[in-house]
mmCIF file of all heavy atoms in Angstrom:
data_model
loop_
_atom_site.group_PDB
_atom_site.id
_atom_site.type_symbol
_atom_site.label_atom_id
_atom_site.label_comp_id
_atom_site.label_asym_id
_atom_site.label_seq_id
_atom_site.Cartn_x
_atom_site.Cartn_y
_atom_site.Cartn_z
ATOM 1 N N PRO A 1 -4.677 22.107 20.647
ATOM 2 C CA PRO A 1 -5.713 22.681 21.509
ATOM 3 C C PRO A 1 -6.533 23.738 20.762
ATOM 4 O O PRO A 1 -5.961 24.550 20.024
ATOM 5 C CB PRO A 1 -4.929 23.288 22.670
ATOM 6 C CG PRO A 1 -3.574 23.557 22.112
ATOM 7 C CD PRO A 1 -3.325 22.522 21.063
ATOM 8 N N LEU A 2 -7.820 23.727 20.990
ATOM 9 C CA LEU A 2 -8.729 24.584 20.237
ATOM 10 C C LEU A 2 -8.504 26.060 20.529
ATOM 11 O O LEU A 2 -8.446 26.877 19.614
ATOM 12 C CB LEU A 2 -10.174 24.200 20.542
ATOM 13 C CG LEU A 2 -11.260 25.036 19.854
ATOM 14 C CD1 LEU A 2 -11.145 24.939 18.344
ATOM 15 C CD2 LEU A 2 -12.647 24.592 20.320
ATOM 16 N N ALA A 3 -8.376 26.426 21.804
ATOM 17 C CA ALA A 3 -8.280 27.839 22.170
ATOM 18 C C ALA A 3 -7.069 28.495 21.523
ATOM 19 O O ALA A 3 -7.177 29.579 20.932
ATOM 20 C CB ALA A 3 -8.233 27.990 23.684
ATOM 21 N N SER A 4 -5.913 27.869 21.617
ATOM 22 C CA SER A 4 -4.714 28.486 21.038
ATOM 23 C C SER A 4 -4.778 28.488 19.520
ATOM 24 O O SER A 4 -4.269 29.413 18.867
ATOM 25 C CB SER A 4 -3.460 27.767 21.527
ATOM 26 O OG SER A 4 -3.454 26.406 21.131
ATOM 27 N N GLY A 5 -5.405 27.470 18.932
ATOM 28 C CA GLY A 5 -5.571 27.448 17.484
ATOM 29 C C GLY A 5 -6.432 28.602 17.005
ATOM 30 O O GLY A 5 -6.102 29.277 16.020
ATOM 31 N N LEU A 6 -7.534 28.858 17.706
ATOM 32 C CA LEU A 6 -8.398 29.975 17.333
ATOM 33 C C LEU A 6 -7.736 31.318 17.628
ATOM 34 O O LEU A 6 -7.938 32.294 16.900
ATOM 35 C CB LEU A 6 -9.738 29.871 18.049
ATOM 36 C CG LEU A 6 -10.648 28.724 17.603
ATOM 37 C CD1 LEU A 6 -11.934 28.716 18.421
ATOM 38 C CD2 LEU A 6 -10.966 28.814 16.120
ATOM 39 N N ASP A 7 -6.928 31.375 18.695
ATOM 40 C CA ASP A 7 -6.189 32.606 18.973
ATOM 41 C C ASP A 7 -5.264 32.942 17.811
ATOM 42 O O ASP A 7 -5.156 34.107 17.402
ATOM 43 C CB ASP A 7 -5.371 32.459 20.261
ATOM 44 C CG ASP A 7 -6.218 32.533 21.513
ATOM 45 O OD1 ASP A 7 -7.369 32.998 21.433
ATOM 46 O OD2 ASP A 7 -5.723 32.120 22.583
ATOM 47 N N LYS A 8 -4.593 31.935 17.276
ATOM 48 C CA LYS A 8 -3.704 32.186 16.140
ATOM 49 C C LYS A 8 -4.508 32.581 14.915
ATOM 50 O O LYS A 8 -4.135 33.507 14.190
ATOM 51 C CB LYS A 8 -2.861 30.951 15.843
ATOM 52 C CG LYS A 8 -1.879 31.168 14.692
ATOM 53 C CD LYS A 8 -0.873 30.051 14.557
ATOM 54 C CE LYS A 8 0.148 30.379 13.475
ATOM 55 N NZ LYS A 8 1.186 29.329 13.357
ATOM 56 N N LEU A 9 -5.608 31.906 14.692
ATOM 57 C CA LEU A 9 -6.426 32.189 13.512
ATOM 58 C C LEU A 9 -6.974 33.610 13.557
ATOM 59 O O LEU A 9 -6.941 34.334 12.555
ATOM 60 C CB LEU A 9 -7.568 31.166 13.433
ATOM 61 C CG LEU A 9 -8.332 31.036 12.117
ATOM 62 C CD1 LEU A 9 -7.381 30.784 10.959
ATOM 63 C CD2 LEU A 9 -9.351 29.908 12.223
ATOM 64 N N VAL A 10 -7.459 34.026 14.711
ATOM 65 C CA VAL A 10 -8.041 35.369 14.816
ATOM 66 C C VAL A 10 -6.965 36.444 14.692
ATOM 67 O O VAL A 10 -7.238 37.569 14.268
ATOM 68 C CB VAL A 10 -8.842 35.520 16.129
ATOM 69 C CG1 VAL A 10 -7.931 35.723 17.322
ATOM 70 C CG2 VAL A 10 -9.855 36.666 16.037
ATOM 71 N N SER A 11 -5.719 36.099 15.030
ATOM 72 C CA SER A 11 -4.626 37.063 14.874
ATOM 73 C C SER A 11 -4.221 37.222 13.413
ATOM 74 O O SER A 11 -3.646 38.243 13.033
ATOM 75 C CB SER A 11 -3.408 36.622 15.696
ATOM 76 O OG SER A 11 -2.742 35.508 15.104
ATOM 77 N N LEU A 12 -4.520 36.214 12.585
ATOM 78 C CA LEU A 12 -4.100 36.239 11.183
ATOM 79 C C LEU A 12 -5.115 36.906 10.266
ATOM 80 O O LEU A 12 -4.739 37.499 9.255
ATOM 81 C CB LEU A 12 -3.858 34.804 10.693
ATOM 82 C CG LEU A 12 -2.644 34.081 11.259
ATOM 83 C CD1 LEU A 12 -2.653 32.621 10.832
ATOM 84 C CD2 LEU A 12 -1.354 34.756 10.816
ATOM 85 N N ALA A 13 -6.408 36.788 10.597
ATOM 86 C CA ALA A 13 -7.439 37.283 9.674
ATOM 87 C C ALA A 13 -8.640 37.823 10.445
ATOM 88 O O ALA A 13 -9.071 37.195 11.423
ATOM 89 C CB ALA A 13 -7.887 36.169 8.731
ATOM 90 N N PRO A 14 -9.222 38.938 10.030
ATOM 91 C CA PRO A 14 -10.354 39.525 10.748
ATOM 92 C C PRO A 14 -11.708 38.889 10.443
ATOM 93 O O PRO A 14 -12.678 39.122 11.155
ATOM 94 C CB PRO A 14 -10.345 40.979 10.276
ATOM 95 C CG PRO A 14 -9.764 40.913 8.897
ATOM 96 C CD PRO A 14 -8.741 39.817 8.935
ATOM 97 N N LEU A 15 -11.779 38.096 9.370
ATOM 98 C CA LEU A 15 -13.035 37.468 8.961
ATOM 99 C C LEU A 15 -12.828 35.966 8.890
ATOM 100 O O LEU A 15 -11.851 35.492 8.300
ATOM 101 C CB LEU A 15 -13.453 37.987 7.576
ATOM 102 C CG LEU A 15 -14.613 37.280 6.873
ATOM 103 C CD1 LEU A 15 -15.921 37.464 7.643
ATOM 104 C CD2 LEU A 15 -14.759 37.785 5.434
ATOM 105 N N LEU A 16 -13.734 35.204 9.495
ATOM 106 C CA LEU A 16 -13.646 33.744 9.484
ATOM 107 C C LEU A 16 -14.939 33.154 8.943
ATOM 108 O O LEU A 16 -16.034 33.513 9.394
ATOM 109 C CB LEU A 16 -13.393 33.203 10.892
ATOM 110 C CG LEU A 16 -13.327 31.674 11.021
ATOM 111 C CD1 LEU A 16 -12.172 31.107 10.199
ATOM 112 C CD2 LEU A 16 -13.209 31.270 12.484
ATOM 113 N N LEU A 17 -14.807 32.231 8.006
ATOM 114 C CA LEU A 17 -15.939 31.538 7.397
ATOM 115 C C LEU A 17 -15.771 30.047 7.646
ATOM 116 O O LEU A 17 -14.719 29.473 7.346
ATOM 117 C CB LEU A 17 -15.984 31.842 5.899
ATOM 118 C CG LEU A 17 -16.035 33.339 5.578
ATOM 119 C CD1 LEU A 17 -15.758 33.591 4.109
ATOM 120 C CD2 LEU A 17 -17.382 33.931 5.979
ATOM 121 N N VAL A 18 -16.808 29.420 8.183
ATOM 122 C CA VAL A 18 -16.696 28.058 8.692
ATOM 123 C C VAL A 18 -17.796 27.177 8.133
ATOM 124 O O VAL A 18 -18.955 27.597 8.030
ATOM 125 C CB VAL A 18 -16.774 28.057 10.241
ATOM 126 C CG1 VAL A 18 -16.811 26.632 10.791
ATOM 127 C CG2 VAL A 18 -15.606 28.835 10.834
ATOM 128 N N ASP A 19 -17.424 25.950 7.800
ATOM 129 C CA ASP A 19 -18.392 24.898 7.465
ATOM 130 C C ASP A 19 -18.137 23.767 8.450
ATOM 131 O O ASP A 19 -17.009 23.256 8.528
ATOM 132 C CB ASP A 19 -18.172 24.429 6.021
ATOM 133 C CG ASP A 19 -19.225 23.446 5.554
ATOM 134 O OD1 ASP A 19 -20.379 23.560 5.990
ATOM 135 O OD2 ASP A 19 -18.896 22.557 4.742
ATOM 136 N N GLU A 20 -19.147 23.384 9.236
ATOM 137 C CA GLU A 20 -18.926 22.412 10.299
ATOM 138 C C GLU A 20 -20.120 21.475 10.453
ATOM 139 O O GLU A 20 -21.111 21.592 9.745
ATOM 140 C CB GLU A 20 -18.676 23.133 11.625
ATOM 141 C CG GLU A 20 -17.207 23.387 11.933
ATOM 142 C CD GLU A 20 -16.414 22.096 12.149
ATOM 143 O OE1 GLU A 20 -17.029 21.012 12.324
ATOM 144 O OE2 GLU A 20 -15.178 22.175 12.128
ATOM 145 N N PHE A 21 -19.971 20.530 11.384
ATOM 146 C CA PHE A 21 -21.105 19.671 11.701
ATOM 147 C C PHE A 21 -21.181 19.425 13.196
ATOM 148 O O PHE A 21 -20.180 19.420 13.903
ATOM 149 C CB PHE A 21 -21.040 18.369 10.908
ATOM 150 C CG PHE A 21 -20.148 17.300 11.477
ATOM 151 C CD1 PHE A 21 -20.675 16.060 11.817
ATOM 152 C CD2 PHE A 21 -18.783 17.501 11.628
ATOM 153 C CE1 PHE A 21 -19.864 15.065 12.314
ATOM 154 C CE2 PHE A 21 -17.964 16.509 12.117
ATOM 155 C CZ PHE A 21 -18.508 15.277 12.468
ATOM 156 N N ALA A 22 -22.422 19.273 13.648
ATOM 157 C CA ALA A 22 -22.711 19.105 15.067
ATOM 158 C C ALA A 22 -22.998 17.633 15.329
ATOM 159 O O ALA A 22 -24.153 17.214 15.400
ATOM 160 C CB ALA A 22 -23.893 19.980 15.472
ATOM 161 N N TRP A 23 -21.928 16.868 15.471
ATOM 162 C CA TRP A 23 -22.097 15.415 15.620
ATOM 163 C C TRP A 23 -22.904 15.062 16.863
ATOM 164 O O TRP A 23 -23.596 14.040 16.895
ATOM 165 C CB TRP A 23 -20.724 14.741 15.676
ATOM 166 C CG TRP A 23 -19.827 15.259 16.760
ATOM 167 C CD1 TRP A 23 -18.923 16.271 16.664
ATOM 168 C CD2 TRP A 23 -19.770 14.792 18.112
ATOM 169 N NE1 TRP A 23 -18.300 16.489 17.871
ATOM 170 C CE2 TRP A 23 -18.793 15.588 18.782
ATOM 171 C CE3 TRP A 23 -20.435 13.807 18.828
ATOM 172 C CZ2 TRP A 23 -18.484 15.405 20.133
ATOM 173 C CZ3 TRP A 23 -20.128 13.622 20.182
ATOM 174 C CH2 TRP A 23 -19.158 14.414 20.802
ATOM 175 N N GLU A 24 -22.847 15.923 17.886
ATOM 176 C CA GLU A 24 -23.569 15.614 19.122
ATOM 177 C C GLU A 24 -25.073 15.773 18.965
ATOM 178 O O GLU A 24 -25.843 15.348 19.824
ATOM 179 C CB GLU A 24 -23.046 16.490 20.271
ATOM 180 C CG GLU A 24 -23.552 17.919 20.285
ATOM 181 C CD GLU A 24 -22.825 18.837 19.309
ATOM 182 O OE1 GLU A 24 -21.892 18.361 18.622
ATOM 183 O OE2 GLU A 24 -23.189 20.035 19.237
ATOM 184 N N ARG A 25 -25.514 16.385 17.856
ATOM 185 C CA ARG A 25 -26.947 16.546 17.588
ATOM 186 C C ARG A 25 -27.559 15.323 16.882
ATOM 187 O O ARG A 25 -28.742 15.321 16.585
ATOM 188 C CB ARG A 25 -27.182 17.799 16.738
ATOM 189 C CG ARG A 25 -26.971 19.093 17.511
ATOM 190 C CD ARG A 25 -26.918 20.307 16.585
ATOM 191 N NE ARG A 25 -28.136 20.487 15.812
ATOM 192 C CZ ARG A 25 -29.174 21.241 16.181
ATOM 193 N NH1 ARG A 25 -29.133 21.869 17.342
ATOM 194 N NH2 ARG A 25 -30.225 21.378 15.401
ATOM 195 N N ILE A 26 -26.739 14.328 16.619
ATOM 196 C CA ILE A 26 -27.274 13.110 15.989
ATOM 197 C C ILE A 26 -28.060 12.344 17.050
ATOM 198 O O ILE A 26 -27.511 11.601 17.867
ATOM 199 C CB ILE A 26 -26.153 12.230 15.407
ATOM 200 C CG1 ILE A 26 -25.311 13.029 14.408
ATOM 201 C CG2 ILE A 26 -26.749 10.991 14.730
ATOM 202 C CD1 ILE A 26 -24.110 12.269 13.852
ATOM 203 N N ASP A 27 -29.365 12.546 17.064
ATOM 204 C CA ASP A 27 -30.212 11.879 18.046
ATOM 205 C C ASP A 27 -30.718 10.547 17.491
ATOM 206 O O ASP A 27 -30.335 10.122 16.388
ATOM 207 C CB ASP A 27 -31.366 12.786 18.475
ATOM 208 C CG ASP A 27 -32.236 13.231 17.303
ATOM 209 O OD1 ASP A 27 -32.128 12.651 16.196
ATOM 210 O OD2 ASP A 27 -33.054 14.158 17.494
ATOM 211 N N GLU A 28 -31.589 9.885 18.248
ATOM 212 C CA GLU A 28 -32.055 8.555 17.837
ATOM 213 C C GLU A 28 -32.803 8.576 16.506
ATOM 214 O O GLU A 28 -32.533 7.730 15.629
ATOM 215 C CB GLU A 28 -32.937 7.952 18.937
ATOM 216 C CG GLU A 28 -33.359 6.521 18.639
ATOM 217 C CD GLU A 28 -34.135 5.901 19.793
ATOM 218 O OE1 GLU A 28 -34.094 6.453 20.902
ATOM 219 O OE2 GLU A 28 -34.783 4.856 19.564
#
């Protein structure tokens, strides 16, 4: 689950750096 995963991550480190993609933005 995303919420508990992020809760653990935020408890481990004060700075988060992310590389992601917005698959739902793939339009026609």
Side-chain angles (χ1 to χ4, degrees):
L2 178 60
S4 61
L6 291 179
D7 285 344
K8 182 169 185 178
L9 195 54
V10 77
S11 73
L12 290 172
L15 170 65
L16 178 62
L17 304 167
V18 174
D19 186 33
E20 267 295 346
F21 82 121
W23 56 269
E24 78 280 359
R25 288 168 60 92
I26 304 176
D27 58 14
E28 185 175 345

